[in-house]
Amino acid sequence: MSEKVNAAKIFGEKVFNDEVMRERLPKKIYKELHKTIDEGKELDPVTAEVVAGAMKDWAVEMGATHYTHWFQPLTGFTAEKHDSFITAPDNEGNVLMEFSGKELIKGEPDASSFPSGGLRATFEARGYTTWDCTSPAFVREDATGAILCIPTAFCSYTGEALDQKTPLLRSMEAIQTQALRLLRLFGNTTSRKVIPSVGVEQEYFIVDHEKYLQRKDMIFTGRTLFGAMPPKGQELDDHYFGVIRQRIGAFMKDVNSELWKLGVPAKTQHNEVAPGQHELAPIYEKCNVASDHNQIIMETLKRVAEQHGLHCLLHEKPFAGVNGSGKHNNWSLTTDDGINLLDPGKTPHENIQFLLVLCCILRAVDRHADLLRESAADAGNDHRLGANEAPPAIISVFLGEQLEDVLRQLVSTGAATHSLKGGHLHTGVKTLPEVSKDATDRNRTSPFAFTGNKFEFRMVGSRDSVAECNVVLNTIAAEAFCDACDILEKADDFELAVHDLIKAYATEHQRIVFNGNGYSEEWVQEAERRGLPNIQCMVDAIPALVTKKSIDMFGKFGVFTEKELRSRVEIQYESYSKTINIEARAMIDIASKHILPAVMRYARNLAGTANELKSAGAVCAVPVKVLEKMTGYLNEAYEALDELKNVTIEAAEMESGEEQARFYHDKVTVAMERLRKPVDELEMIVDKEEWPMPSYGDLLFEV
């Protein structure tokens, strides 16, 4: 029987949270720190010094020997440098355990060694990490010991953002300022803060670690570059919400325990659609904390998987032919006194504040659909978006029957007079209780769907930081709120002006609303008729960052400077090119050194068998036919391999930037697919014992 876990007892035990601060900090210091956290007041050195001492004492009691400024550079991963608490030995050889306010507030990693997109030259090495006191510090335990992790932002010597956290915090300030303006117009004088609230659903695959180590493609790239489909995939839909296998269950139990100790409110776990695929979702949290916690979730999934002899795959499409993985970013806006700006209430047609907020968001998404699409763009997601498990590449908004009906009334008559009701669910079974149902269904094909009191952005890739999409959501909403407030604050008759504005926005931006099947070809044609962008790949999405409207908007709200945006464009193109280059080289290496030699060995053995049968006077055409079939695929594979080598060399010699990225997309990925096709056919012919790597069946079903 496994050890029992009391979630309530262990939750947050490794977090320097509010309860710990209240116990360990002097009252005055605790209040001063909360002024910084709650009101944005600048943190003074005296307060920082006292907090640092208390944080160090607590961490040492938790077994910590080192601390680190834990930050999120533009690599897509987290970064950390560990420093011990010990000081220089005194004359008697003794050391003290110390941690100063200065060390808490500021660190100095090498800025030139992280992607900067030209913001930092190689010889300009200085960068700074600065403490984000609104996200709690925590003690993480792993093979290196217990480490005090301090969430931080990361900026260059000249102040530009070199990370995901800094623009996220800037965007949170922007939307708070503009949302409060809007609330004040409706007479709300009590709410002091408006906080973007986020819940992130994380999908992932689990495979056996020993089998993973036999797949060089997965080691190098995170996904399979070759692989024929097994006899059974996800056709029966029997894995989705199915009984969790014992080995996976033990892994999930330990993941939950680790996350709860770190203050991550892990809530939901289940099997996803594809075999070997699973999902974990936490409870909603403040935007920057949710982003930090999602990074902790991904790191914990990987670490705990290895402890169980498993490997966690976070790539968006690790296996061709079955569902890929994403993360659904559930976004809403809540005040410090508990008001959800996206709660329509029981009669949304009468909720004027909600209708204005809703129409502002429709305006924001319609105006910046390209930017929202870019926020979910990466090389891995190119394999996933538009497939059956993911939303299409076309941005649209699902409102559901109730809100779409309200919107229709606003557009046609200028006023909404009623709201559709949910009613009750009739099952036809007398013993089942009567269940009230929602006023609208859900739509899993929509990339941006209203789901009751929030919007679910379903495009984000499973490996990606959710900071990027939330920066965009926060900022485009801030702009829409600002535009609305600029009009309404000047109005002589507020009630008339707000009704006119709601109708104007609803009419102007109704094209972005679509409740139908986002996977259908008819929608592609309809979206084109409406003038909605259909951005198919990462390379096509990147320019959205530096359109005039993007530069103007981000600059207006202080989220990005034009220089920061252009640096991110450079980083994105370079990241895409490097990703495809690594995948292409891995294919060349694996095909040349492992697969094709194995096929030729099997062909020689087969030819030998055919000759032996012929010498013995036996009439058997099967080996010859199989050999002919193999030879055809082998020749095709060698031709494709040569082509891939040539285009990869050509691409690598190009200057980095948009042209190179487009060449990788248009030429190299096409050559990669051409090589994969005959290799996957050969896998279905060659003796399994001769094939040099575990099959899809081995990876997906033998865990």
Side-chain angles (χ1 to χ4, degrees), residues 322-334:
V322 298
N323 279 16
S325 296
K327 58 181 63 159
H328 301 169
N329 187 86
N330 295 279
W331 177 86
S332 62
L333 296 169
T334 56

Side-chain angles (χ1 to χ4, degrees), residues 241-261:
F241 279 22
V243 175
I244 297 170
R245 288 172 285 183
Q246 293 296 293
R247 190 177 178 191
I248 300 299
F251 153 75
M252 286 180 170
K253 178 185 173 184
D254 286 352
V255 167
N256 284 328
S257 294
E258 286 300 304
L259 292 176
W260 291 334
K261 290 175 185 177

Side-chain angles (χ1 to χ4, degrees), residues 447-482:
F448 197 70
F450 186 76
T451 53
N453 59 2
K454 56 184 172 61
F455 278 99
E456 181 182 26
F457 184 47
R458 302 181 65 244
M459 273 190 164
V460 186
S462 49
R463 291 176 299 177
D464 292 345
S465 165
V466 294
E468 186 174 356
C469 72
N470 285 301
V471 167
V472 172
L473 283 171
N474 293 343
T475 312
I476 65 176
E479 180 192 51
F481 291 163
C482 179

Side-chain angles (χ1 to χ4, degrees), residues 243-374:
V243 175
I244 297 170
R245 288 172 285 183
Q246 293 296 293
R247 190 177 178 191
I248 300 299
F251 153 75
M252 286 180 170
K253 178 185 173 184
D254 286 352
V255 167
N256 284 328
S257 294
E258 286 300 304
L259 292 176
W260 291 334
K261 290 175 185 177
L262 293 170
V264 180
K267 176 74 171 176
T268 303
Q269 62 186 30
H270 62 84
N271 290 347
E272 255 298 335
V273 174
Q277 187 184 33
H278 311 278
E279 182 178 298
L280 182 154
I283 297 170
Y284 292 78
E285 300 178 284
K286 185 169 61 173
C287 190
N288 63 315
V289 175
S291 178
D292 285 353
H293 280 177
N294 184 247
Q295 294 291 339
I296 292 173
I297 286 170
M298 290 191 287
E299 292 170 2
T300 303
L301 286 170
K302 284 190 158 298
R303 187 176 74 253
V304 175
E306 289 193 14
Q307 295 169 358
H308 284 257
L310 303 167
H311 190 86
C312 175
L313 297 171
L314 291 172
H315 193 282
E316 288 75 20
K317 196 75 170 179
F319 301 99
V322 298
N323 279 16
S325 296
K327 58 181 63 159
H328 301 169
N329 187 86
N330 295 279
W331 177 86
S332 62
L333 296 169
T334 56
T335 67
D336 56 332
D337 49 358
I339 301 170
N340 185 336
L341 273 62
L342 289 173
D343 184 357
K346 293 182 179 180
T347 55
H349 68 283
E350 297 176 334
N351 191 339
I352 303 302
Q353 179 180 295
F354 166 76
L355 291 177
L356 179 60
V357 170
L358 177 68
C359 289
C360 282
I361 291 173
L362 293 180
R363 173 179 169 83
V365 175
D366 189 20
R367 290 193 70 205
H368 297 286
D370 57 344
L371 197 58
L372 199 54
R373 168 67 179 88
E374 192 284 329

Side-chain angles (χ1 to χ4, degrees), residues 38-58:
D38 298 334
E39 303 171 18
K41 179 187 173 185
E42 188 173 342
L43 185 68
D44 69 85
V46 174
T47 300
E49 197 68 34
V50 177
V51 172
M55 191 184 289
K56 182 265 298 180
D57 291 343
W58 169 80

Side-chain angles (χ1 to χ4, degrees), residues 390-529:
I394 303 166
I395 295 285
S396 64
V397 178
F398 169 79
L399 292 181
E401 291 87 350
Q402 184 187 58
L403 292 184
E404 187 178 38
D405 180 66
V406 170
L407 194 73
R408 191 180 299 116
Q409 294 176 58
L410 290 170
V411 172
S412 61
T413 67
T417 59
H418 64 274
S419 299
L420 300 178
K421 303 297 181 183
H424 294 87
L425 182 67
H426 300 289
T427 63
V429 180
K430 292 180 180 179
T431 55
L432 292 178
E434 187 176 74
V435 178
S436 61
K437 64 178 183 179
D438 295 314
T440 186
D441 203 348
R442 298 180 72 185
N443 188 327
R444 306 302 289 175
T445 72
S446 175
F448 197 70
F450 186 76
T451 53
N453 59 2
K454 56 184 172 61
F455 278 99
E456 181 182 26
F457 184 47
R458 302 181 65 244
M459 273 190 164
V460 186
S462 49
R463 291 176 299 177
D464 292 345
S465 165
V466 294
E468 186 174 356
C469 72
N470 285 301
V471 167
V472 172
L473 283 171
N474 293 343
T475 312
I476 65 176
E479 180 192 51
F481 291 163
C482 179
D483 291 346
C485 291
D486 287 346
I487 294 170
L488 296 175
E489 285 170 351
K490 298 173 184 175
D492 295 326
D493 186 334
F494 172 76
E495 188 173 330
L496 179 62
V498 74
H499 278 87
D500 288 347
L501 189 61
I502 289 170
K503 180 184 178 181
Y505 281 2
T507 303
E508 183 181 352
H509 302 289
Q510 60 182 314
R511 68 171 189 166
I512 199 69
V513 178
F514 179 67
N515 282 2
N517 180 8
Y519 295 159
S520 68
E521 182 58 35
E522 290 78 10
W523 168 233
V524 175
Q525 297 169 9
E526 171 64 15
E528 184 177 2
R529 186 189 68 78

